[in-house]
Amino acid sequence: AQKITQTQPGMFVQEKEAVTLDCTYDTSDPSYGLFWYKQPSSGEMIFLIYQGSYDQQNATEGRYSLNFQKARKSANLVISASQLGDSAMYFCAMRELQGGFQKLVFGTGTRLLVSP
Amino acid sequence: GAVVSQHPSRVICKSGTSVKIECRSLDFQATTMFWYRQFPKQSLMLMATSNEGSKATYEQGVEKDKFLINHASLTLSTLTVTSAHPEDSSFYICSARSPQGGTEAFFGQGTRLTVV
């Protein structure tokens, strides 16, 4: 069963606009962590933002914010004031305990294209 | 933040040969590192969890004899693709979690392997 679901294969946004990238997750573990990573064409994985399952407030990091709706099991990434350099693949991931280790499970990703 | 260095970034090898990829944590000690594989336009799939001083834990479906992992020190894990074949061509990327209670996993730059 898919644990992390990203339903948007691609998204387009105009420069300076805000964009929301969707992510839903599935877990029975009460303690988990949710991450968003950016992967530019060079391939590196750049950490953007983290939300713990017990965090009461939505995480924010500069232009990135995470819309955490626990009951709906969603953790959407909001990028405000998009920039051309934001064009990349974005992956949602969940950290959960498996076999004694905390592992990251990734979604299929969303390709964001920011146009001038 | 913590830095993970991966080498080489690109490698082309002949079918039947072996290739070693190194993953180093530069400014912290990583008792656990993770190796992922990413096919074009797909997500990251965890291959194995590398543990310092002990055997790696492989995910289901990953051949242990094909992908040899050695985590000989607290700052170095290596992945050796043995008897490489064209179907092993992929993007391999490692990660390590900072032991100082950090919440994110730090990723190496990745290695693009092409087997000809």
Side-chain angles (χ1 to χ4, degrees), chain A residues 35 37 39 41-45 47 50 91 95 98 101-104 106-108 111, chain B residues 32 34 36 38 42-44 46 49 51 57 59 91 93 97 103-105 107-109:
Chain A
F35 299 75
Y37 288 88
Q39 187 179 42
S41 56
S42 57
E44 60 190 302
M45 293 290 284
F47 166 77
Y50 168 81
F91 289 97
R95 186 181 69 219
Q98 287 184 24
F101 294 103
Q102 293 196 334
K103 301 179 181 179
L104 282 180
F106 287 85
T108 52
R111 182 168 297 280
Chain B
T32 303
F34 302 90
Y36 296 85
Q38 186 181 28
Q42 293 191 24
S43 187
L44 279 71
L46 180 65
T49 303
N51 308 298
T57 303
E59 296 300 301
F91 187 69
I93 191 165
R97 187 179 175 198
T103 54
E104 69 252 41
F107 283 83
Q109 303 93 325

Side-chain angles (χ1 to χ4, degrees), chain B residues 14 45 50 66:
Chain B
K14 289 185 177 180
M45 297 300 295
S50 170
K66 175 76 172 172

Side-chain angles (χ1 to χ4, degrees), chain B residues 3-22:
Chain B
V3 177
V4 175
S5 177
Q6 190 172 339
H7 177 80
S9 58
R10 289 179 179 271
V11 59
I12 301 173
C13 70
K14 289 185 177 180
S15 191
T17 62
S18 296
V19 174
K20 181 184 284 188
I21 302 169
E22 293 186 348

Side-chain angles (χ1 to χ4, degrees), chain A residues 2-45:
Chain A
Q2 188 72 26
K3 294 203 170 187
I4 295 286
T5 302
Q6 294 180 256
T7 58
Q8 306 155 315
M11 286 287 285
F12 294 90
V13 66
Q14 205 154 15
E15 199 177 7
K16 300 180 185 177
E17 297 288 312
V19 62
T20 298
L21 306 184
D22 295 342
C23 174
T24 58
Y25 60 92
D26 182 28
T27 182
S28 56
D29 192 340
S31 178
Y32 53 89
L34 298 160
F35 299 75
W36 277 93
Y37 288 88
K38 173 184 178 182
Q39 187 179 42
S41 56
S42 57
E44 60 190 302
M45 293 290 284

Side-chain angles (χ1 to χ4, degrees), chain A residues 48-103:
Chain A
L48 297 179
I49 198 166
Y50 168 81
Q51 180 86 41
S53 58
Y54 294 118
D55 293 344
Q56 295 295 317
Q57 295 192 343
N58 287 344
T60 60
E61 289 285 349
R63 294 187 298 112
Y64 305 108
S65 61
L66 200 150
N67 185 358
F68 182 45
Q69 298 189 34
K70 196 170 183 177
R72 294 185 178 181
K73 293 189 175 179
S74 74
N76 298 340
L77 176 70
V78 180
I79 305 175
S80 62
S82 297
Q83 301 172 357
L84 296 178
D86 293 336
S87 294
M89 280 292 289
Y90 288 81
F91 289 97
C92 179
M94 178 173 64
R95 186 181 69 219
E96 60 175 9
L97 195 62
Q98 287 184 24
F101 294 103
Q102 293 196 334
K103 301 179 181 179

Side-chain angles (χ1 to χ4, degrees), chain B residues 38-107:
Chain B
Q38 186 181 28
F39 289 107
K41 299 185 179 181
Q42 293 191 24
S43 187
L44 279 71
M45 297 300 295
L46 180 65
M47 299 175 64
T49 303
S50 170
N51 308 298
E52 188 269 334
S54 64
K55 291 183 179 180
T57 303
Y58 289 81
E59 296 300 301
Q60 192 173 6
V62 177
E63 299 176 59
K64 301 177 183 181
D65 297 330
K66 175 76 172 172
F67 301 100
L68 299 179
I69 291 173
N70 188 334
H71 195 153
S73 77
L74 287 171
T75 59
L76 174 64
S77 175
T78 61
L79 168 67
T80 301
V81 183
T82 62
S83 187
H85 291 284
E87 57 266 28
D88 297 325
S89 298
S90 188
F91 187 69
Y92 294 87
I93 191 165
C94 68
S95 76
R97 187 179 175 198
S98 170
Q100 286 91 13
T103 54
E104 69 252 41
F106 296 97
F107 283 83

